[in-house]
Amino acid sequence: MTMTPDAQPHFWQVSPDNQTYTELCNALYERELLRLSQIAPAELASLPKRLASLPFYIRRAASSIVRYQHELQLDSQNASWYGRQLSQCPANKQQAEPIVRFYHKAAKPGLIVPVYVEDKTLEQIRLDSVDEVDPEQQRLHCNQSGWFSYSGMPLQAENSHCFLLKPDKTMMTAACCGHQWLNRRKTEPRLLTLRELLLASRLNWRNFARPHSNKI
């Protein structure tokens, strides 16, 4: 088929979504290859399998992000979202009773939740998902973070530095944007893992009640 001069430029035209998708894939490849280059020697046996599955998960994450409707601003060149960061970690304002009420009602496998993590003086809110619920013991298990009571308290020595939070717009914004605080002050946001990006792209922001105003 012969293309006319007028038609040829359209053949090379790249839509905004295609450009965003390409930028996301490039950023995710760079990030994940760097992360895999730093894995512990004990995990080297699993490296070929991880590398083989990497294209699938990166394409899936990039496609989900491009289609995702949200209120946050996307930086496709760094594969990250950004939004206003509170001066202090908002996890400290959540109380046990609302957390208990929420998980009594909403705890189920597949639920995406925010988890507060403290490492010495560094505070973060990370995304995780529930994969097991034990109503009799009023506890649940998060895929990466372990067992918590419905009140958010950690139930294992391995996750004693974590606390399960109630999902709301403030917590999920902080988690999706990688906000973190060092010595009780804002510090540079972290880059989300590929798994967290996939979880974030499944969130329905209409489910989150508008939070009370917070001082920025």
Side-chain angles (χ1 to χ4, degrees), residues 36-98:
L36 290 174
S37 72
Q38 298 170 342
I39 64 173
E43 300 179 41
L44 287 176
S46 66
L47 184 58
K49 184 177 180 180
R50 294 188 186 186
L51 287 172
S53 64
L54 195 59
F56 169 79
Y57 286 109
I58 285 179
R59 288 196 296 266
R60 179 180 170 187
S63 297
S64 297
I65 292 170
V66 167
R67 296 193 305 267
Y68 184 42
Q69 299 296 320
H70 54 81
E71 300 180 6
L72 303 175
Q73 298 295 315
L74 175 66
D75 179 356
S76 57
Q77 294 184 345
N78 289 310
S80 59
W81 290 288
Y82 60 94
R84 297 185 68 185
Q85 182 174 357
L86 299 177
S87 59
Q88 295 187 350
C89 181
N92 302 319
K93 295 187 177 182
Q94 281 208 351
Q95 299 179 348
E97 186 176 343

Side-chain angles (χ1 to χ4, degrees), residues 22-23 33 36 40 46 71 73 76 83 85 136 141 151 159-160 180 183 196 207:
T22 301
E23 291 175 347
L33 289 175
L36 290 174
S46 66
E71 300 180 6
Q73 298 295 315
S76 57
Q85 182 174 357
E136 292 185 2
H141 186 270
S151 66
N159 68 349
S160 60
Q180 51 185 0
N183 296 320
E196 286 180 292
N207 292 336

Side-chain angles (χ1 to χ4, degrees), residues 19 30 44 48 52 54 109 118 136 148 152 155 157 193 197 199 203:
Q19 182 176 348
E30 290 180 8
L44 287 176
L54 195 59
E118 184 174 14
E136 292 185 2
F148 296 91
L155 299 176
T193 65
L197 286 171
L199 290 176
L203 291 174

Side-chain angles (χ1 to χ4, degrees), residues 131-189:
D131 58 15
E132 188 174 350
V133 178
D134 182 357
E136 292 185 2
Q137 299 294 322
Q138 297 187 19
R139 61 177 186 161
L140 56 83
H141 186 270
C142 292
N143 185 270
Q144 296 288 311
S145 307
W147 285 100
F148 296 91
S149 70
Y150 280 2
S151 66
M153 293 296 295
L155 299 176
Q156 298 172 283
E158 294 83 356
N159 68 349
S160 60
H161 61 299
C162 301
F163 194 90
L164 181 65
L165 301 168
K166 173 187 173 183
D168 63 26
K169 188 174 180 180
T170 298
M171 303 306 160
M172 297 314 237
T173 296
C176 290
C177 294
H179 292 164
Q180 51 185 0
W181 297 261
L182 182 64
N183 296 320
R184 306 292 179 182
R185 296 183 178 181
K186 292 188 291 186
T187 189
E188 183 178 355

Side-chain angles (χ1 to χ4, degrees), residues 196-216:
E196 286 180 292
L197 286 171
L198 286 167
L199 290 176
S201 65
R202 288 168 43 196
L203 291 174
N204 183 351
W205 289 85
R206 291 177 295 182
N207 292 336
F208 305 133
R210 184 173 298 277
H212 297 295
S213 61
N214 289 290
K215 185 177 181 180
I216 303 296

